[in-house]
Each structure stands twice: as structure tokens, then as C-alpha cells.
Amino acid sequence: MEPDKILFIVNPVAGGGRALKVWTKNIYPILEKKKISFDYLFTQKPYDGFNLAMEGIKKGYKKLISVGGDGTVNEIVNAIMLQDIIDPIEISIGSIGSGSGNDWGKSVGIPANYEEAVSNLRKDNFILQDVGKVSYIQTGVEKTRYFVNVAGMGFDAEVTYKANKSKKRLFGKLSYSLNLLSTLISFKDPYVEIKIDGEKVYANQALTLNVGICRYSGGGMMFTPKAKYDDGLFDVTVVDKISVGTILANLRKIYDGSFINHEAVKTFRGKSIEITSKEKLYLETDGESLGHSPLYFETLPQRLKVLSGLSIEH
């Protein structure tokens, strides 16, 4: 196999089928025109992205490109981190976003234009970004998952769960906002305790919690607006129990990140985070719904090689 041959992993149902259209009408023709050496595979069921990436690594591919949403990226990242064939840092990951979120690409400089995104694969520009690892409980068993963008808990996780289950998913901001409004009626704020680097920093009822490596989630919202993808630290944002009216009045500020200045919002930074709760506190990472508390996060500094429009000397 050619040493620089690219493997594209395409999720045809991402973005309500948009990913398949983008691949067929945009990306594939550009690749052919530019005479780029590549192979491609389609996912057919949940977690296929992980399995296909793992098989690709075993066959010798060192450039894996996601065509889908943030969930597809997450599955590929987990394959890179869990395989034991070569050092994960020797494998490059990229993305041509065509799902409903595509939040990760905004933070790491992946071009939104398809022609530029494909051309960028040839330049081999890359950055090294941090990877998060979280332990959680699912069906009574402790599990772990790697993530590269934002983990959400509480209200945020319930909104994501509804968005993922919706049969008529809309894209980006509208999808998240509609599910956010519907969840306001039924959500009960859990009592949570948070330790960062071994020190207890929070104990209260909380509406939502976010642990971020990058800035954007939920279709452009910024729950962790000051996060830096390569500083070796998680940015943590916690919102105290607040009224529905306060949430609605500050909804716009979530999109520009200024909501963190509200008196009900607490922000922290650290390398390791432990979160416990009286009730089950549900978790999502990179837009994928997982299990529940107790939760333990640790950061792996600069462990992922990302094909980006930025340069490593940024």
C-alpha cells in the first residue's frame, strides 16, 4: 500500500443523510480531480466508525479522515487511542464535516470549504491536540471513552440524548435549541460534587456541567469559550440551578460565550476531574450519549495528530 494513502470513513446517515450527498457530489469528485490516492468505506451501524478505523490501522493506513459529524470523529479517535499496533501519535486524523454539529473542526482549524479541506490533506499541516479520557457507569459496568471536544452532563446530556433520538433531526443550532426548550419543562437539577486535581471545588444543585478540550458544542454553542486544545488542561463550566426565564434570557449569550460572566456560572481548570452526584448524572461526549456518574476525567496532553488548516507552530 502507498505510504500516504488516505482512508475515508463515511457515515452516510450523518446530518440526516447530508453526509452521503456531500461525499457523492462534492468530496469524491474533488479527490478524483486532484488525483489523490485514497480508499473509502461506509459505516452501516453505530460504532462502525470505530471498527472500520481499527481495521484500517491494521492494514497500514496512517491517515484517517471522517466524513460525517462529531460522533464519527469520536469513534475514529477511540480506535486510534485503543489500538496497540503503533504509537497513536503516528496516525493522523482529519475531518470533512457534513453532520449536524461539526463543532470540533471549528476549534482545530479544519477548513469548512470542501475544496480547501481536501487540498489541506496534501499539505500535511497538522497540530497536536489533547485527548480526554472519561470513566463512567453504563448498565452497571464501569467503562471508559476518549473524546476530543466537549463532554456535557446534566441538562446538556439530556438535550443531546433527545437530539440523537429525534427522527426528524434538524441541523446545528436549531436542532439543539428546540430540544433544549423541550427539556426545560421536565429537567430536575441534580446535586453534584466536583473535585479538580484532588481538591473539592463545587457542591450544589447544578443545571449543567461541561468539561471541554475545545470551545464549541451543540451546533456552535460555547460552554467552554476559553478552552485551548493543546494546553494540557480541561476547562470546566458549571451552571447552578436557575429559573427557566434566566435560561431563556441568556440563551443568545451561550453562542458567543459571554454567559460565563453570569453570577450562576462557575468556571475551573485542571488536569483531572472527579464528579459524583446523589442522582444519576448522565454524560455525553462529542455529541454521543453514554452512561452516568460517578465520572472521572483525565487529560492526555497533545496525544492526537490532527490534519488541520493551522500549523503546529500556531
Side-chain angles (χ1 to χ4, degrees):
M1 188 179 68
E2 299 169 48
D4 288 331
K5 196 168 190 179
I6 299 170
L7 177 62
F8 287 85
I9 296 176
V10 184
N11 181 353
V13 300
R18 181 169 177 263
L20 179 59
K21 294 177 182 177
V22 167
W23 170 257
T24 304
K25 295 182 179 180
N26 301 100
I27 302 170
Y28 190 93
I30 295 171
L31 290 166
E32 291 280 283
K33 181 180 71 174
K34 294 182 178 294
K35 294 182 170 53
I36 292 176
S37 179
F38 70 97
D39 289 322
Y40 66 95
L41 297 168
F42 286 159
T43 63
Q44 297 180 347
K45 58 184 182 299
Y47 226 54
D48 256 5
F50 173 88
N51 295 321
L52 295 176
M54 190 68 80
E55 288 301 313
I57 294 167
K58 289 178 181 177
K59 291 178 180 177
Y61 292 97
K62 292 186 179 180
K63 282 187 178 181
L64 306 178
I65 309 301
S66 165
V67 180
D70 289 340
T72 308
V73 171
N74 181 274
E75 292 187 10
I76 296 172
V77 167
N78 274 269
I80 292 172
M81 298 304 297
L82 289 170
Q83 58 79 34
D84 58 3
I85 300 167
I86 59 174
D87 189 330
I89 209 70
E90 294 184 34
I91 303 169
S92 300
I93 182 172
S95 174
I96 300 181
S98 49
S100 56
N102 307 319
D103 291 297
W104 174 67
K106 297 186 187 80
S107 288
V108 296
I110 294 175
N113 177 276
Y114 299 131
E115 187 106 21
E116 291 178 12
V118 171
S119 295
N120 188 66
L121 301 179
R122 269 186 166 170
K123 296 175 184 175
D124 208 25
N125 284 345
F126 68 90
I127 59 169
L128 297 178
Q129 82 148 83
D130 302 338
V131 176
K133 183 179 181 182
V134 58
S135 300
Y136 57 95
I137 304 299
Q138 190 171 54
T139 60
V141 178
E142 183 175 342
K143 297 187 176 182
T144 60
R145 184 92 164 208
Y146 294 95
F147 67 101
V148 292
N149 192 33
V150 179
M153 289 138 280
F155 183 82
D156 182 77
E158 293 215 16
V159 173
T160 299
Y161 177 79
K162 287 187 176 182
N164 288 341
K165 285 292 184 180
S166 175
K167 293 182 179 179
K168 296 181 179 180
R169 292 187 68 183
L170 301 172
F171 298 145
K173 293 182 181 180
L174 185 56
S175 175
Y176 194 94
S177 297
L178 289 176
N179 284 289
L180 185 152
L181 294 173
S182 70
T183 306
L184 283 175
I185 300 171
S186 59
F187 187 75
K188 296 181 179 179
D189 309 76
Y191 184 90
V192 301
E193 293 187 359
I194 303 173
K195 290 182 179 178
I196 296 182
D197 296 335
E199 179 183 352
K200 183 183 286 189
V201 298
Y202 186 89
N204 203 351
Q205 277 186 285
L207 172 70
T208 189
L209 302 85
N210 285 269
V211 175
I213 297 170
C214 297
R215 297 180 179 182
Y216 301 95
S217 60
M221 291 185 171
M222 286 199 284
F223 287 103
T224 53
K226 295 183 179 181
K228 296 179 180 179
Y229 59 77
D230 61 353
D231 65 358
L233 299 172
F234 290 119
D235 273 44
V236 182
T237 301
V238 188
V239 181
D240 293 335
K241 180 180 179 179
I242 53 177
S243 69
V244 172
T246 302
I247 296 169
L248 295 176
N250 288 275
L251 190 58
R252 179 186 58 80
K253 294 182 179 180
I254 298 176
Y255 287 101
D256 64 17
S258 63
F259 87 104
I260 66 168
N261 298 317
H262 192 279
E263 61 183 4
V265 179
K266 312 292 188 299
T267 60
F268 310 96
R269 276 186 175 161
K271 296 178 180 179
S272 66
I273 301 157
E274 183 180 350
I275 301 175
T276 55
S277 59
K278 290 184 177 180
E279 304 84 6
K280 287 182 179 178
L281 181 71
Y282 286 94
L283 168 74
E284 62 86 10
T285 60
D286 297 346
E288 295 297 296
S289 300
L290 301 176
H292 60 79
S293 55
L295 308 167
Y296 181 76
F297 295 83
E298 60 179 306
T299 183
L300 308 175
Q302 299 188 18
R303 287 298 290 154
L304 188 69
K305 187 177 180 181
V306 179
L307 291 165
S308 165
L310 305 173
S311 72
I312 199 166
E313 299 87 12
H314 74 283

